[in-house]
Amino acid sequence: MRTVIAGGHGQIALRLERLLAARGDEVAGIIRKAEQADDLREAGAEPVVLDLESASVEEVAERLRGADAAVFAAGAGPGSGAARKDTVDKAAAVLFADAAVRAGVRRFVIVSSMGADPLHQGDEIFDVYLRAKGEADAYVSGLDALEWTILRPGQLTDDAGTGLVRLEARTGRGPIPRDDVAAVLAELVDTPATAGLTLELISGPAPVSVAVKSVAGN
C-alpha cells in the first residue's frame, strides 16, 4: 500500500511514517524544506519537497498519483499567525483534497482538532484555528469522490503511547499521546469501512485495533 502524507515532517506524521514503513508499506511525506528530507528517510519515508501554500492542484495531484491513500497531517503550528491558519490549516487541506480527487485517490484521512467548527466564534488565534480546521473538515466531508475519515484528537502529549484509546463520535475532552494518534491513523488508513465518519480520540480502555474495528461500518 502506498500512502502520501501532507505535513510529512510533523510530529504525528513522522511517527505515522515509521509505523507504515515498519509494516512494509510504501510511504511518502510532503515537506516544505529540503533540509527536512533526512528525517523522513530515517523514518522510512520518501521525502517530497513541495510547498502546499503555493503549489497548484495539478502539482499536488502529480505527487499523489498511484497512491492508495492520502493523509492530511499538516498544520501552521504554534507561533503562527491567523493568516497561516487560513493558508495551511484550511486552504492547504482543501488543495490536498482536491488533488486527491484529481489523482483518483479515494481513501483520505484528515487530522483535525477537537472543537473544530466552521461556525466557531471568537478572534483569538486559537479561535481562528478551530474555525479553519472546521471549514476544512466541512469541505472534505462534502466531496463524494473521497472515502474520507476525519480524526479529531484531544490534547496532544509527548508521553509514550499506551496503545489504549477511546475512539468515538463524541468522547469528551482528554489527553492523547502523539504515538497513539499515529497508531490510530495507521489503522484508519487501512480501514475504509470508517469512511464518512468524524471521530474524536482520547486515551481510553480499548486497544487501537479494537477501537477502530468497533467504529468501522457505523
Side-chain angles (χ1 to χ4, degrees):
M1 185 167 182
R2 177 174 171 82
T3 300
V4 179
I5 303 169
H9 195 257
Q11 295 185 69
I12 290 170
L14 284 167
R15 288 167 166 85
L16 176 58
E17 286 153 9
R18 286 188 198 99
L19 291 174
L20 295 176
R23 75 183 189 192
D25 285 5
E26 197 179 310
V27 56
I30 295 176
I31 53 177
R32 276 195 313 132
K33 300 173 183 173
E35 56 266 32
Q36 297 170 333
D38 284 346
D39 290 338
L40 270 74
R41 291 190 191 100
E42 195 177 310
E46 168 200 337
V48 176
V49 181
L50 185 69
D51 187 349
L52 294 177
E53 288 178 272
S54 59
S56 68
V57 172
E58 185 51 45
E59 285 173 321
V60 181
E62 192 57 40
R63 308 313 198 280
L64 279 165
R65 285 196 176 89
D68 301 292
V71 178
F72 186 83
S80 59
R84 292 202 71 229
K85 304 302 183 198
D86 197 58
T87 58
V88 180
D89 293 292
K90 178 188 172 183
V94 167
L95 174 75
F96 198 59
D98 285 343
V101 172
R102 184 172 294 198
V105 181
R106 289 192 58 79
R107 187 72 183 116
F108 192 93
V109 181
I110 182 167
V111 183
S112 183
S113 173
M114 200 170 284
D117 182 350
L119 301 178
H120 182 85
Q121 299 299 305
D123 300 313
E124 299 295 322
I125 292 290
F126 195 63
D127 297 320
V128 176
Y129 169 75
L130 290 177
R131 201 156 47 240
K133 286 301 236 183
E135 288 169 347
D137 293 353
Y139 185 84
V140 168
S141 64
L143 294 174
D144 293 337
L146 295 181
E147 294 173 354
W148 56 267
T149 303
I150 297 166
L151 183 66
R152 294 179 169 170
Q155 179 195 349
L156 298 171
T157 75
D158 287 324
D159 297 340
T162 64
L164 297 171
V165 301
R166 187 174 170 200
L167 180 70
E168 297 169 14
R170 292 280 180 273
T171 61
R173 296 195 175 273
I176 179 78
R178 288 178 173 87
D179 286 351
D180 290 334
V181 177
V184 168
L185 287 169
E187 286 281 335
L188 288 175
V189 160
D190 219 13
T191 313
T194 58
L197 299 180
T198 299
L199 300 166
E200 294 184 350
L201 173 67
I202 58 174
S203 292
V208 166
S209 60
V210 173
V212 172
K213 282 189 180 73
S214 72
V215 296
N218 289 340

